[in-house]
Amino acid sequence: MGVVPAGTADTAVPASTGRPYVLLSCATSIDGYIDDATEQRLLLSNAEDMDRIDAVRAGCDAILVGAGTIRADDPRLVVRSAPLRAARQAAGLPPSPVKVTLTARGLLDPTARFFTVGDAEKVVYCATPAVDKTTELLAGLATVVDAGDPLDPARALADLAARGVGRLMVEGGASVHAQFLTAGLADELHLVVAPFFVGDRRAPRFVGDGAFPWHPGRRARIAEVRQIGDVVLVRYALSERCADGRPG
Ligand SMILES: NC(=O)c1ccc[n+]([C@@H]2O[C@H](COP(=O)([O-])OP(=O)(O)OC[C@H]3O[C@@H](n4cnc5c(N)ncnc54)[C@H](OP(=O)(O)O)[C@@H]3O)[C@@H](O)[C@H]2O)c1
């Protein structure tokens, strides 16, 4: 990583087919919602599960969320645990993984915690029409990469691989998860189910309509089921790259 100075646009997105190992992570209510319809962020995980997520983050080279999640949740996306950060540094890695987002419109707030919390490198894959304004907006804060028009997530993944990202964690939101799943760009899904209902159709669901590669005729494989306090984690193996029993 770090081949392009922050605040500059990189137009050299390779068309290679190689991509990182992609791990999708999501928490839902029993009825499949990933948030409620209020302005406040809905807490679905519990403290123990947040520690697990922290460890999964620490095991990745980069974390990706959609621009909608940055706007809705203002996530930090850093490794919280000091021992985990220290272990990464001892292994010659930065304390937290690279932060990555996708945007077509470039409607990103430079004061969002995605950009201001932690020392991790930030990469913004941007659709061509918004590259110039986004590069200007995020000068000194992020590397803005022209990822085509329309932006193709597979192209962003190829670029991440070229930047040395071998393992990517995708933390939502709904639109991003749906795209990665329908495009067959996911190797593993960590689905956490919280023990309550949202019951409000105005709230976002895990994914909307789409042609998913896993359907009644092609069922996904369960790699692990684990109770974590009052939530349940199911790890689905979505490709042959996902080895059963691998620590999540
Ligand atoms: N429970 C959970 O685990 C969890 C995790 C994360 C988020 N969430 C929830 O998910 C909701 C947000 O989901 P969302 O679907 O609205 O947003 P999202 O998937 O986070 O982001 C969607 C936005 O990302 C950009 N984008 C995505 N794919 C793109 C592509 N192929 N090309 C160009 N731009 C692309 C666009 O940004 P622009 O509009 O800037 O062009 C798009 O509007 C929030 O309610 C949040 O709380 C829940």
Side-chain angles (χ1 to χ4, degrees):
M1 295 296 300
V3 294
V4 179
T8 61
D10 174 10
T11 53
V13 177
S16 127
T17 53
R19 66 163 176 83
Y21 185 93
V22 176
L23 183 163
L24 269 48
S25 175
C26 185
T28 75
S29 60
I30 293 174
D31 49 348
Y33 289 100
I34 60 170
D35 196 0
D36 60 21
T38 70
E39 293 281 300
Q40 280 75 44
R41 184 178 188 171
L42 177 67
L43 189 65
L44 289 144
S45 295
N46 56 34
E48 196 182 341
D49 189 50
M50 296 299 281
D51 288 344
R52 177 195 63 83
I53 292 169
D54 206 38
V56 175
R57 280 183 185 160
C60 290
D61 302 308
I63 305 171
L64 183 151
V65 295
T69 294
I70 296 176
R71 290 190 287 264
D73 295 348
D74 196 16
R76 294 178 177 81
L77 302 180
V78 293
V79 174
R80 295 175 313 162
S81 153
L84 288 174
R85 287 199 306 270
R88 284 180 56 94
Q89 287 183 288
L93 298 168
S96 284
V98 175
K99 301 189 203 182
V100 182
T101 192
L102 309 177
T103 181
R105 299 175 294 164
L107 294 180
L108 291 162
D109 179 354
T111 68
R113 292 190 286 205
F114 180 94
F115 298 108
T116 57
V117 174
D119 297 328
E121 185 173 354
K122 292 100 188 165
V123 181
V124 176
Y125 290 99
C126 185
T128 306
V131 164
D132 287 348
K133 90 169 180 199
T134 308
T135 302
E136 193 177 332
L137 180 73
L138 300 176
L141 294 173
T143 299
V144 177
V145 180
D146 183 341
D149 187 22
L151 186 160
D152 178 1
R155 215 168 144 187
L157 288 182
D159 186 64
L160 285 173
R163 290 168 189 269
V165 172
R167 190 172 171 89
L168 173 71
M169 182 175 186
V170 177
E171 294 204 44
S175 155
V176 164
H177 276 145
Q179 290 179 65
F180 277 73
L181 288 165
T182 54
L185 296 174
D187 298 297
E188 182 173 344
L189 168 63
H190 292 192
L191 187 66
V192 163
V193 181
F196 58 82
F197 294 79
V198 168
D200 183 346
R201 69 171 61 180
R202 294 169 304 169
R205 304 197 90 114
F206 170 37
V207 287
D209 297 350
F212 294 91
W214 304 276
H215 47 72
R218 182 166 180 257
R219 297 158 78 101
R221 183 165 53 92
I222 293 176
E224 183 190 359
V225 179
R226 198 191 317 169
Q227 181 172 350
I228 303 171
D230 67 353
V231 305
V232 173
L233 164 70
V234 185
R235 282 203 302 122
Y236 291 97
L238 301 182
S239 84
E240 295 309 313
R241 295 170 90 186
C242 177
D244 284 358
R246 182 174 183 151

